[in-house]
Amino acid sequence: MGELARIIPFEMVDEVLTETGAVQRRIRLMPARVTVYLLLAAALFNGLGYRQVFDWLCAGLAGLAPVRPSGSALRSLAARHVRRGAVQGNL
């Protein structure tokens, strides 16, 4: 996630989430910010599934990513954020 965060800082992602009303209202297993980075990485590595992209994003976290969602859960989460417009045309 560090590589993407250097190009698209957390503050920019948070601003887009706020503007689109996609900021989470409660603590979830995977924050909205992480979902945005997942979608961006999935666009860069479109030959991989969401689970593989998630593993790539978390590879440098060395045990700090306590949750490893299923591929279907990641697809559902990503689709929900795309429907809300959090990513389309905002980053």
Side-chain angles (χ1 to χ4, degrees), residues 5-71:
R6 276 189 261 188
I7 298 165
I8 302 170
F10 292 135
E11 296 83 13
M12 182 185 290
V13 172
D14 290 345
E15 183 179 326
V16 168
L17 289 169
T18 300
E19 287 176 10
T20 59
V23 176
Q24 69 259 10
R25 290 172 180 75
R26 62 178 192 230
I27 302 298
R28 297 184 183 269
L29 293 176
M30 196 161 95
R33 180 192 290 169
V34 176
T35 304
V36 171
Y37 283 110
L38 173 71
L39 289 168
L40 292 170
L44 292 172
F45 302 102
N46 64 359
L48 301 177
Y50 281 116
R51 185 98 178 246
Q52 292 168 306
V53 172
F54 182 80
D55 289 344
W56 176 83
L57 279 175
C58 297
L61 297 178
L64 295 177
V67 175
R68 188 170 184 250
S70 68

